[in-house]
Amino acid sequence: MRVRLWAVVAALAALMIGLAVAPARGAATLTQVTGFGSNPGALRMFSYVPTGLPAGRPVVVALHGCTQNAAGYYAGSGWGKYADLYQAALVVPEQTSANNALSCFNWFTAGDIARGQGEALSIRQMVAYAVATYGSDPARVYVTGLSAGGAMTAVMLATYPDVFAAGAVVAGLPYNCGTICQYQAQPKTPAQWGDLVRAAYPGYSGPRPRVAIWHGTADSTVVPANATELRDQWTNVHGLGQTPTATTTLPGGTVQESYGQAVQLNRVPGLGHGTPVNPGGAEDQCGATGAYFLASICSSYHIARFWGLTGNGGPTPPPTTPPTTTPPTTPPAGPCVTASNYAHTVAGRAHQSGGYTYANGSNQAMGLWNTAITRGLRSTGANYYVLCQA
């Protein structure tokens, strides 16, 4: 009995010693990062890395709007929730009043919107730091932002198409339009809008990022014409027309227009200037209402779905209110179309996830998402394609 008693005492003592010397594992928090690069744009970097995040996970860059900061955008937008849920590192750049009196990212300043310069380069350096430090997947880097942050999102997609797989512009502006776009529509053709993007990285011939656009129909700060102009800009860059291939009604009446798999336009009825949020505990609910965080639909959730993040963090249940979809009219069968994997995704016959290409409908693997690999696809139903021989 005495031997057993001493054994119990010894075990308890060992446990207490272990607890005393083992470092406490704190919960992940939004943390400022210094020394991430030369930082020519003089921005601040904040990051949120879920506890135990494994290597090879995506990176999401979230850019706040004017008069906001990193902590406020992190708290209000819902991206912290989805970083945990879908296992992604979150980078939240912050503007300072020393750079801009209203703490807006300088989307209209030539020295800040060019590749290799100013604020654009600072954000690029933050991404490079995240990939190197957190072991993130360089093929799954995404960027989104509100208002001035949305305009800077367009800057990053235009100047660094080799870095970002996709992005989402919320109540933002087309690339390189300046402040004039904020207040009135511009008489540019889709080709002219697209030329602005192509001029941001002359000679680039690789895949372009996929783009989601979100805008309230009652926005009086950044006029809704910007949503259409962004649509024209990025459909032209992707070689697409300006007629949707599918139209979907999301919960709350948001109308989602799809242009192949590359561009998506979401018009939120009656919404003013801000990030659409929908506080709550369901997977498709997020954020906190406040200044420039407007109760409607959780745009961050639908952006994550568009990017393909929802399939990376576990099973994804459908939204609490299923959307109604009007699929594109597709012939029941068609000829074998041979094209590069990139061209198939742009045309809406395939989609990419994690740098790999999959046929729409059948989800047959087609190999790496690039212009070098060529495959044949045949339509056998509405948005349903199978591999074939030319």
Side-chain angles (χ1 to χ4, degrees):
M1 181 64 126
R2 183 176 297 174
V3 171
R4 281 199 293 267
L5 179 61
W6 277 109
V8 171
V9 170
L12 289 172
L15 176 61
M16 295 304 294
I17 292 172
L19 291 173
V21 300
R25 188 172 186 177
T29 59
L30 187 70
T31 304
Q32 185 169 1
V33 176
T34 58
F36 58 84
S38 61
N39 191 18
L43 302 178
R44 295 183 182 131
M45 175 181 177
F46 290 81
S47 68
Y48 175 78
V49 182
T51 302
L53 183 72
R57 303 305 302 163
V59 176
V60 173
V61 179
L63 299 163
H64 65 75
C66 297
T67 73
Q68 295 181 320
N69 58 25
Y73 199 67
Y74 166 81
S77 65
W79 279 111
K81 170 180 178 173
Y82 295 125
D84 284 330
L85 190 60
Y86 304 138
Q87 290 289 279
L90 185 62
V91 171
V92 192
E94 184 177 88
Q95 181 62 285
T96 68
S97 58
N99 289 342
N100 183 290
L102 294 177
S103 297
C104 308
F105 291 103
N106 289 306
W107 85 90
F108 48 84
T109 304
D112 286 309
I113 66 171
R115 183 180 174 91
Q117 297 183 40
E119 293 177 13
L121 179 55
S122 290
I123 296 170
R124 169 66 182 100
Q125 290 174 345
M126 295 179 197
V127 170
Y129 178 93
V131 170
T133 306
Y134 311 138
S136 303
D137 184 352
R140 289 188 291 170
V141 179
Y142 308 92
V143 60
T144 185
L146 165 68
S147 191
M152 188 56 71
T153 294
V155 168
M156 300 311 297
L157 297 174
T159 55
Y160 291 100
D162 51 334
V163 172
F164 295 97
V169 180
V170 183
L173 303 94
Y175 172 68
N176 201 10
C177 188
T179 57
I180 190 171
C181 275
Q182 184 174 348
Y183 307 107
Q184 59 187 35
Q186 299 303 302
K188 285 185 171 66
T189 66
Q192 289 172 325
W193 286 119
D195 286 344
L196 293 175
V197 170
R198 286 182 282 270
Y201 188 2
Y204 178 74
S205 59
R208 294 283 180 174
R210 299 167 66 236
V211 182
I213 303 154
W214 285 76
H215 216 110
T217 61
D219 192 334
S220 59
T221 302
V222 177
V223 295
N226 285 280
T228 302
E229 291 164 354
L230 275 161
R231 186 272 315 271
D232 290 352
Q233 185 167 69
W234 289 99
T235 51
N236 181 262
V237 167
H238 281 279
L240 300 170
Q242 286 70 56
T243 300
T245 55
T247 300
T248 301
T249 302
L250 300 179
T254 293
V255 178
Q256 182 181 91
E257 301 170 5
S258 297
Y259 300 82
Q261 300 292 317
V263 180
Q264 183 190 85
L265 172 55
N266 300 270
R267 304 181 194 268
V268 187
L271 192 79
H273 188 65
T275 299
V277 297
N278 180 21
E283 185 175 359
D284 64 342
Q285 292 180 300
C286 73
T289 56
Y292 306 115
F293 296 105
L294 307 181
S296 177
I297 182 174
C298 175
S299 55
S300 298
Y301 167 76
H302 290 278
I303 289 167
R305 284 179 64 89
F306 175 72
W307 290 346
L309 296 187
T310 55
N312 294 329
T316 303
T320 51
T321 305
T324 59
T325 303
T326 303
T329 302
T330 307
C336 186
V337 178
T338 301
S340 70
N341 280 350
Y342 172 69
H344 278 308
T345 62
V346 168
R349 294 184 289 267
H351 59 278
Q352 73 91 17
S353 177
Y356 291 87
T357 314
Y358 302 89
N360 285 352
S362 69
N363 281 322
Q364 289 179 301
M366 298 167 60
L368 290 171
W369 186 54
N370 58 34
T371 58
I373 296 178
T374 299
R375 293 285 186 266
L377 286 179
R378 186 188 309 279
S379 170
T380 61
N383 198 29
Y384 197 99
Y385 293 87
V386 295
L387 289 166
C388 63
Q389 298 294 327

